[in-house]
Amino acid sequence: MGRKFIVERGPKATNDRQSNNDRKTRDVRYTIDEAVEIFIRAKEAEGIRASTIKGYYDTVRYFKDWLNEEKQYTDEISATTIREYINYLRTERLPYQGDTQREGTTKGLSVYTINIRLRNLRTIFRFLFTEGIIMANPTSNIPLVKDDAHEEVQGLTDEEIDAILASYEDKLFAQWRDKTLVLLLMDTGLRINEALSLAGDQVDFKELTILVPSQIAKNRKYREVPISREVAKRLRQLLDETQQYFGDDCQLFMNSYGEDFTADAFRRRLNRLKGKLGIEKLHPHMFRHTFARNYILNGGDIFTLQKILDHADIQTTRKYIQMDKEHLRQQHNKFSPVRRLFNRKGRKL
């Protein structure tokens, strides 16, 4: 009679392909905060930027505020929970809630904002499932929210640009700084955070270029952006003034107290200006769209524009080129093949 021998210890293996991670979750429960910290540490190890990490923290904070301590553990979050949260964001949540200067009365966040939060939640829960921290991913069958077709972000009209620039009082430092920032954004298409992070040594006043380092650029690619001589002159004046008051190591854009001028502070100032001028919408990204549209209208090509705007995909660049009816009429009038036939000397049709 042959002898029996043991190959593996413990109970016989089952056929359900149960992983070690799955077995672990039966014995260990993680609170939402504990699980998120594990996720954040993993992302930090991957070299994710601090701004992205903040976005994850903000998403979880909004989600937990809605949960209101009803659910504290990750295994209590189901697909139904996620869907209920999405419905709350679509129909009940007030935009800019808590911001007394921007809070609106119309309920429901934009589809764009909801999908940002949903993408972050899907990334977090997918990680937790892969790591065996949760038994099931509650977001696995949750699609992004769809929206009816709507216009892309429009740039500003020439009349609105004129009104904005004329509203600034050049004798006041803060307003002259804001005007310089507006001109810079419309001259270069820089993102607002790229512009506000500029130091004096990132501007080449001789070659008329701005260096955007990879640490700041959204796509983590170093690039040089050309600027006009007129804007370069204003930046030189601004740098001289800020260095005179606040020292040589200051940023280009500072507030009146010698602190870094922030994107949120600029948004608040634009919001007040919007009401003063009677402009329907006014936020920093509109200057980037204005630059893109006018660059093409003035004869620039889309491939160069893609490089300037730092877009990885040219389809993104196409979305930035939104022209209103007047611009379409002007371009048609200028380039219509039939009109050129009629304009030929002595041509009759």
Side-chain angles (χ1 to χ4, degrees), residues 33 81 98 147 164 167-168 176 209 248 273 290 301 317 326 328:
D33 288 339
T81 308
D147 193 14
I164 291 168
S167 70
Y168 292 119
W176 189 81
T209 58
D248 293 341
L273 185 60
T290 302
D301 68 276
T317 310
E326 182 58 32
L328 291 175

Side-chain angles (χ1 to χ4, degrees), residues 224-242:
E224 289 186 351
V225 179
I227 56 174
S228 66
R229 190 170 301 279
E230 292 79 7
V231 171
K233 182 179 179 180
R234 289 186 70 98
L235 291 180
R236 179 75 260 180
Q237 291 177 284
L238 179 62
L239 180 61
D240 289 342
E241 287 192 27
T242 53

